[in-house]
């Protein structure tokens, strides 16, 4: 894929990732390392929580979102976030097939750094039922094409 520089981005531009299937082993492995709570580790204990069953950590969903976004949006220099708002309206469950849909919602040249600009993105992580599991409104730093 050709890398996209600041000049290549436009409001309304969309990126869609390939799918990724989440299984119980992935959920438990991530949780053991990074978010060891019963509703991420133990299906029986998880049934007794507000989740009503095993659910992936929101941070696991965020990490998978990043992987899928990198696959979908070939931003030059990588995807460098500089702030945003993250929400998890629904949990990711074993068997969910995730994909990311991202849209450029703003393009802002830097006033002080002529070698870069910012892009605003709305990133939605959806499952195979098209339910939104995560939203991320983020500002990313994007390099200007070298002369």
């Amino acid at each position: 894929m050709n890398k996209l520089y600041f000049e290549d981005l436009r409001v309304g531009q969309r990126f869609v990732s390939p799918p990724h299937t989440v299984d119980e082993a992935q959920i438990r492995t991530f949780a053991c390392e990074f978010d060891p709570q019963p509703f991420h580790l133990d299906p029986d204990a998880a049934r007794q929580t507000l989740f009503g069953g095993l659910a992936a950590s929101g941070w696991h969903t965020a990490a998978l979102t990043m992987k899928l976004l990198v696959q979908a949006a070939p931003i030059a220099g990588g995807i460098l976030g500089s702030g945003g708002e993250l929400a998890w309206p629904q949990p990711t469950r074993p068997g969910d097939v995730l994909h990311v849909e991202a849209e450029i919602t703003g393009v802002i040249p830097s006033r002080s750094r002529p070698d870069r600009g910012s892009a605003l993105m709305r990133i939605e992580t959806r499952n195979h039922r098209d339910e939104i599991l995560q939203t991320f409104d983020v500002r990313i730093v994007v390099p200007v094409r070298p002369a």
Side-chain angles (χ1 to χ4, degrees), residues 13-80:
Q13 192 169 7
R14 295 181 55 81
F15 305 95
V16 179
S17 78
H20 175 89
T21 301
V22 179
D23 62 30
E24 183 176 323
Q26 289 174 32
I27 290 172
R28 294 176 72 188
T29 297
F30 184 94
C32 280
E33 182 76 14
F34 301 108
D35 193 354
Q37 299 187 75
F39 39 84
H40 301 318
L41 293 168
D42 181 347
D44 293 328
R47 279 192 279 285
Q48 306 306 314
T49 69
L50 63 93
F51 290 114
L54 196 68
S57 168
W59 301 114
H60 187 185
T61 301
L64 289 169
T65 297
M66 189 67 200
K67 173 187 175 179
L68 295 172
L69 182 61
V70 167
Q71 292 173 347
I75 304 297
I79 297 172
L80 304 171

